[in-house]
Amino acid sequence: MNRTEEGVEELDLRRPGVDPDRILRLQKYRDLERVSPVIRDIARKMASLAEVLVEPGGWLRREPVRAVDHDGAVTLAGGIEFQSRALARLLGDAAAAVLVILTIGPALELRAQELIADGEFTEGLLLDTAGWVAVDAVIKELRQRLGADARLRGFRLTGRMAPGFSDWGLEQQRILFDAFSGGALSVELTEACVMLPRKSISGIYGLIPMASS
């Protein structure tokens, strides 16, 4: 990890492998033995292409939890304030929070759009789905790393929560992004609080002292 301004750390993430069977399962193919050879071949090709096009990037910021109120007000160090009862429950016993933004970059989704525009609808759809498989793999890698680091420090890592989950308003994505204003993010936020590239995710994990678990 490389520390930038304002305590933002840029992550060094591996380019993930993409399982073609996972692509098909996300497309609701329950019995893979019955998938046509043509579709299976396309899934394999799109999985291989995805592995070339994915350019994972990630940033995190750790901040102590200052206050968590029953009405859902959550205050972190650095003047970061959120409003969500669900987030308050997640961080109720947490000593600190880890804010994250992850992306696989724009290249894959641009290529998927080109394929669809050229009439290669199956290829475009399966490549787009491969992107979400890659996003999931990047999230899992980060969680494993954060979990291992937390245990070494005497903490337990919670699950992830992000704006748009439960009662946490999507508009608070802006507050989360503002917390990374000192980092050179390659992810942007639209007026509607949609992340670009679209194959990006954000969120918060809590760090709970082992004695409180």
Side-chain angles (χ1 to χ4, degrees):
M1 297 184 198
N2 299 315
R3 185 172 292 275
T4 62
E5 299 178 11
E6 300 296 330
V8 176
E9 299 176 42
E10 186 171 357
L11 299 165
D12 182 16
L13 297 168
R14 294 175 298 178
R15 183 172 286 166
V18 177
D19 181 359
D21 287 350
R22 177 69 174 150
I23 296 172
L24 294 172
R25 289 192 180 95
L26 287 179
Q27 282 299 319
K28 310 301 183 185
Y29 288 98
R30 292 183 175 84
D31 186 353
L32 298 186
E33 295 299 322
R34 301 181 64 179
V35 178
S36 75
V38 172
I39 296 297
R40 290 187 69 91
D41 186 56
I42 293 174
R44 283 192 293 269
K45 288 178 179 177
M46 293 305 102
S48 296
L49 180 57
E51 291 176 352
V52 173
L53 295 175
V54 166
E55 298 175 346
W59 303 263
L60 67 79
R61 178 174 176 175
R62 295 181 177 89
E63 292 294 346
V65 175
R66 295 300 190 209
V68 177
D69 296 334
H70 69 276
D71 65 354
V74 176
T75 304
L76 308 182
I80 303 169
E81 298 181 354
F82 297 107
Q83 181 66 44
S84 164
R85 283 188 170 87
L87 181 64
R89 288 193 294 271
L90 183 79
L91 299 180
D93 295 323
V98 183
L99 289 67
V100 300
I101 297 174
L102 301 173
T103 185
I104 62 165
L108 182 146
E109 60 191 56
L110 289 174
R111 182 59 184 139
Q113 291 167 7
E114 290 172 355
L115 288 168
I116 292 171
D118 290 341
E120 298 182 69
F121 300 110
T122 302
E123 288 83 353
L125 177 62
L126 294 185
L127 180 59
D128 186 76
T129 305
W132 290 118
V133 174
V135 169
D136 186 59
V138 171
I139 294 171
K140 287 179 179 176
E141 178 194 350
L142 177 63
R143 177 166 174 73
Q144 289 172 353
R145 289 166 59 174
L146 290 178
D149 181 71
R151 288 189 294 274
L152 288 174
R153 297 167 184 258
F155 294 96
R156 175 177 64 83
L157 188 73
T158 70
R160 180 179 64 91
M161 183 170 288
F165 287 25
S166 188
D167 71 331
W168 194 6
L170 183 61
E171 71 280 358
Q172 296 214 343
Q173 190 82 272
R174 296 195 180 283
I175 300 173
L176 195 152
F177 266 67
D178 285 346
F180 290 86
S181 59
L185 300 185
S186 62
V187 181
E188 299 178 355
L189 207 57
T190 69
E191 288 295 322
C193 292
V194 174
M195 287 180 282
L196 297 176
R198 292 182 181 273
K199 299 294 187 298
S200 304
I201 66 103
S202 67
I204 291 181
Y205 296 90
L207 293 172
I208 298 177
M210 289 291 193
S212 300
S213 300

